[in-house]
Each structure stands twice: as structure tokens, then as C-alpha cells.
Amino acid sequence: MAGYFTPHLDPMPAAVPPPVGTVTHANRRSRVLVPSSLACLSTLPTVNLTAGCLHGCVYCYARAYSGYPGDGVAVLYEDLPQRLERELSRAKSRPHAVYFSPSSDLFQPHPDIQRCAEEVLEILFRHRVGVVFLTKGAIAEASMRLLETHAGLVQAQVGLLSTDAALASTFEPGAASPPARLEQMRRLVAAGIPTVARVDPILPGISDGDEAFDRLFRAVRDTGVRDASAGILYTRPGIVAGLRRASGSMASRVPAMLSRFPGERNMGLRGAGTTVIALPEQERMQIIERVSRHAIEHGIRLRVCACKNADIASGTCGIAGAWRRPMRSHQLTLSL
Ligand code: SF4
């Protein structure tokens, strides 16, 4: 059984959906704190709690990774908290912050993963290491309270494509509902945690309608969030296979969306040394223009992922957060 279980933890709150899929346990073979190859994440070590992710988003880029364990399965690194503790205790210079890798999710709908997430957060905060995470999940109450208590060490990003429940259940079947994510954003903001709405990936022809963008940014604004980032779907063979397996009321729209991706349009991902298939530049520019306009109309500052759109965007989408400078443990401050 997992060595990270601690009996003082609160029961899972009602907001966290019941477990979906299967969790298997494994020991980590390599270091916990590892740099990412993506240019936008190169400034922070990233932490992966699991290989695979129970949210099962059908567009998930991680499906194309070699260690992907298959749909509905997450491999939880059960010795990760102990390894992390050792690495941080021995480190000559501790990182000022870590990023929880976007190829899994810290707050997946399984009690083992949520408990491990809580233990990892406790360790990081004890060492005064800041955290940046991107989640589409429901944050268990115990972890939410930890985040609130250590608000000065936290930067949050909440993935939200749409306020539409049918769209979310088709494309992100295991993730928290849009209202639950919005409520979490409200709570994070209320705690003083810099929080960004991550509208990524925009699904061309499905989630990029003007009315949908309007509803989305209105809802985001109402939570108190004032920053968002956006990216547009790109494909690879593994991603296309996942999209084709979508089920749910909006799955019938997938073939038309995929037909818009010309096979020969390869785009490099900055820093990743790999290429993906993107929408033609003109189409991406039009979508970015519209999403930006809607964000501005609702008083939301929008950044576009330049790692995935080096031809039309510059700068960073801010995925690694905005840390003023590498800090000693007692000096950590944020600047969004
Ligand atoms: S939450 Fe992120 S890592 Fe998990 S399935 Fe969805 S896209 Fe993939």
C-alpha cells in the first residue's frame, strides 16, 4: 500500500467526484525535480505525481508521450513524497518554486492521488518552496486549505475551455464540472492566490464561438480572476486517436474539426524539439484575435502561448507563473 497515506487527513469532500479509472502504484526511478524541455517551463523544475491522468481529456497531449499508460489508468509514484523530501533536504540550493507538470494533474478524482498531492504540498510548503499548478480537477478540501494557508507561495491556473457542461463532459470526461472549477477559482482568488484561467486548447469550430467566448470570460470575470492564457488545439497521431474516441453529445463534431488540420502543416514546439500539426496561421490568428477581443471586453488580460505559436505570438503564456526572481526561502514573493 502507498507509503504516503497519513491518517489525519480529512475525508474527501463531496466536491471531488467519485474515483474513475484505475490507479496503479510504482516507485519513481529518477529524480523528482526535473527540468522540462518546453521553453516556457525551463525556468522551474517540474514534478509529475503520476504517469497518465484520470481526467481523460480526449485532446490530451500526454497521450503522445512514450510513458502514457493508456486511457483510464494513472500510475501513481508512491515513493514520490519521500524522494522529494530527501531531494529538498539535501539540495544545496532549493528551487524557489516548482511546477506540477501539465502532462498529469495534481487533483485527479482518486483518493490516493489527492492524498499524495496533499502530502507533496505539505513538504514543499514546509521547505518554503512555491508551487505553480494547472488543474482541471476538484481540489480536495484538505489541499485547498493548505493552498489558502500558504497563499503567498502559490500560483494557480485552472483549465477551462467552456462553461458548457455537454462540451466538458465530451472532451474532459473525468474533470471537474465547469461550475465546480469556477467556484474553485473564486475561492483561490478570495484567498489572495494569483489565479489564471487557462483556455487551452481552444477547439476550432467547437469551443470558439463568439457567444461561447462571451459566456466564458463573463463567468471568469465573475470569479474575480483577471488573467487568462489561451492556446489552440494542435494534433499528432496519438491526439487524433484520442479525439476520435470521444463519446458524448458533442463527439459528432470532432471529424469536421479534424478536417481543418492540414496534414502537411508542421509547427515546431519551442524548446521541445518536436513538431505538431497546427491550423493554418491565418485561421489561428483569427481565433486569437476573437478570443483576445472577448477577454478584453470582460476586463481579462489574455496571454497566448508562444511556445505553441512561435509564428504568431511572442513572449510567454505565463505557464510557469510570474516569480519576481530566484529567492531565498524566506523571501518568496509574487508579482502577477
Ligand atoms: S487534465 Fe491535463 S493531463 Fe489530465 S487528461 Fe486532461 S489534458 Fe491530460
Side-chain angles (χ1 to χ4, degrees), residues 6-17:
T6 45
H8 71 280
L9 297 173
D10 290 345
M12 298 278 284
V16 176

Side-chain angles (χ1 to χ4, degrees), residues 50 52-63 68 101-108 134-137 171-175 181 200-201:
T50 63
C53 176
L54 296 182
H55 286 152
C57 306
V58 296
Y59 53 73
C60 182
Y61 305 144
R63 283 171 198 275
Y68 184 66
S101 167
S103 61
S104 61
D105 194 305
L106 196 51
F107 303 111
Q108 295 171 53
L134 163 60
T135 189
K136 292 170 189 157
F171 293 96
E172 302 165 335
R181 286 184 244 178
D200 188 3

Side-chain angles (χ1 to χ4, degrees), residues 49-333:
L49 231 58
T50 63
C53 176
L54 296 182
H55 286 152
C57 306
V58 296
Y59 53 73
C60 182
Y61 305 144
R63 283 171 198 275
Y65 295 170
S66 56
Y68 184 66
D71 292 353
V73 180
V75 181
L76 175 61
Y77 298 119
E78 60 184 356
D79 62 340
L80 191 137
Q82 292 87 344
R83 276 181 165 265
L84 177 65
E85 177 68 54
R86 271 203 304 276
E87 284 181 28
L88 288 173
S89 300
R90 287 179 191 160
K92 286 203 181 92
S93 73
R94 277 197 296 274
H96 61 282
V98 301
Y99 187 87
F100 286 98
S101 167
S103 61
S104 61
D105 194 305
L106 196 51
F107 303 111
Q108 295 171 53
H110 195 286
D112 290 0
I113 299 174
Q114 291 269 355
R115 288 185 185 111
C116 188
E118 184 194 347
E119 190 165 351
V120 165
L121 288 173
E122 279 176 342
I123 292 167
L124 290 165
F125 293 148
R126 193 169 356 100
H127 286 274
R128 305 295 296 163
V129 175
V131 301
V132 195
F133 63 85
L134 163 60
T135 189
K136 292 170 189 157
I139 304 174
E141 183 59 27
S143 288
M144 181 60 98
R145 285 205 296 266
L146 266 178
L147 297 171
E148 288 170 333
T149 308
H150 299 85
L153 291 169
V154 180
Q155 298 194 29
Q157 299 174 26
V158 177
L160 190 67
L161 294 189
S162 166
T163 55
D164 186 293
L167 189 147
S169 65
T170 299
F171 293 96
E172 302 165 335
S177 68
R181 286 184 244 178
L182 287 162
E183 182 49 38
Q184 266 173 192
M185 289 161 77
R186 193 172 288 117
R187 197 163 160 186
L188 292 164
V189 170
I193 295 170
T195 302
V196 176
R198 196 160 178 89
V199 187
D200 188 3
I202 295 168
L203 304 172
I206 296 180
S207 70
D208 64 342
D210 283 317
E211 278 182 28
F213 279 151
D214 182 62
R215 276 196 301 275
L216 176 66
F217 287 112
R218 186 185 305 275
V220 167
R221 181 201 60 195
D222 289 348
T223 68
V225 166
R226 292 292 176 268
D227 289 277
S229 61
I232 302 169
L233 179 77
Y234 62 73
T235 72
R236 282 175 177 160
I239 298 169
V240 170
L243 284 160
R244 288 199 193 284
R245 283 199 294 274
S247 59
S249 57
M250 297 189 75
S252 59
R253 298 173 68 174
V254 168
M257 176 178 72
L258 290 176
S259 70
R260 295 174 59 176
F261 286 80
E264 72 280 7
R265 180 64 181 88
N266 281 342
M267 177 175 73
L269 289 185
R270 215 169 64 191
T274 182
T275 60
V276 295
I277 298 170
L279 280 188
E281 182 180 323
Q282 193 61 26
E283 286 186 51
R284 272 181 292 135
M285 281 178 69
Q286 283 169 0
I287 293 174
I288 293 299
E289 225 168 79
R290 285 192 305 103
V291 71
S292 303
R293 178 163 45 79
H294 286 285
I296 289 166
E297 275 169 14
H298 291 290
I300 308 279
R301 292 176 289 265
L302 187 88
R303 297 181 184 196
V304 174
C305 180
C307 285
K308 296 185 224 159
N309 294 282
D311 50 350
I312 60 171
S314 60
T316 167
C317 63
I319 194 168
W323 308 93
R324 192 167 286 151
R325 61 185 187 281
M327 289 150 286
R328 280 189 224 109
S329 55
H330 63 283
Q331 289 180 313
L332 196 61
T333 52

